[in-house]
Amino acid sequence: MPSTITAEKAALRASVKEFYNTGIDRRKSDHLLLERFLSLPQVEAALSLLLFYGTGTEPDTGALLEPLLALGKTVALPRCLPGRRMEARVYRGKEHLTPGPFGIPEPDMTCPILARDAAALILVPNLLCDRRGYRLGQGGGYYDRYLAGFQGFTVALCRDALLRDEIPTQPHDVPVQLVVTETRSLSPDRAERSGAFAPLPM
């Protein structure tokens, strides 16, 4: 019998599917999310970044690849490995992308590995986030395993309408350091110190 938290997460995933049936203007939402991400000082400072390649209802993060490369960044994408693990491989152009086990474009084996600690910033996928920086993923645990012990900066893009006050968590869940929505950038760490959830200045 599934645990209460597992059942709550399943219900939240179902609610996200319902949300996308409401006719949201995803193109406008994506534009605002990606624009705010590119304007982050942490992105400007990062020499190497690990992105995810957005598919389905996720923001179109593939549109970030060329602008970041034009800024001289090293950009990597995840490649799934057995045992629900993943590695980062440097993006070398669309001709070097191949469908992964879930149909998500991944760098092929000719692309060099980017060591986890070589990435200054990781953009973490999610279905929704809460104000503490916790995110609800697809349930595979790939990123929770990869982020364990990561010392760099972590960011999640979350649509305003999908930001929650609190979502159920488990011990293995790893929060991100910054949640970016269409209208604001929110730092859970700053909230914990001040006792209130405060937007970061842009």
Side-chain angles (χ1 to χ4, degrees), residues 149-162:
F150 176 65
Q151 299 299 310
F153 198 77
T154 52
V155 183
L157 303 179
C158 178
R159 306 188 198 279
D160 276 310
L162 293 174

Side-chain angles (χ1 to χ4, degrees), residues 6 47 93 96 108 126 146 160 171 181 184 194:
T6 299
L47 298 179
H96 289 285
D108 62 29
N126 66 91
Y146 194 82
D160 276 310
T181 77
R184 50 195 166 155
S194 66

Side-chain angles (χ1 to χ4, degrees), residues 88-144:
R89 287 187 176 261
V90 176
Y91 174 71
R92 293 300 195 202
K94 292 184 178 180
E95 66 274 17
H96 289 285
L97 294 179
T98 183
F102 302 103
I104 302 171
E106 298 180 343
D108 62 29
M109 296 295 288
T110 68
C111 297
I113 292 176
L114 180 71
R116 185 185 63 170
D117 293 337
L121 184 149
I122 296 180
L123 181 60
V124 187
N126 66 91
L127 295 174
L128 55 78
C129 290
D130 73 11
R131 293 179 177 272
R132 303 171 301 161
Y134 285 99
R135 64 185 186 89
L136 179 70
Q138 297 286 358
Y142 286 86
Y143 276 84
D144 289 318

Side-chain angles (χ1 to χ4, degrees), residues 21-86:
N21 291 328
T22 62
I24 175 181
D25 186 345
R26 286 177 50 195
R27 179 176 294 184
K28 179 179 179 181
S29 174
D30 283 6
H31 175 77
L32 292 171
L33 288 169
L34 302 187
E35 187 177 60
R36 292 186 70 83
F37 176 77
L38 288 172
S39 71
L40 292 174
Q42 294 88 352
V43 171
E44 181 180 359
L47 298 179
S48 299
L49 305 89
L50 171 60
L51 305 185
F52 67 91
Y53 198 104
T55 60
T57 59
E58 294 174 329
D60 181 19
T61 54
L64 293 170
L65 293 169
E66 296 306 322
L68 289 170
L69 290 177
L71 292 172
K73 312 288 188 183
T74 297
V75 183
L77 293 170
R79 182 178 177 88
C80 291
L81 301 173
R84 295 191 175 187
R85 296 177 298 112
M86 69 182 213

Side-chain angles (χ1 to χ4, degrees), residues 1-7:
M1 184 175 180
S3 70
T4 300
I5 291 179
T6 299

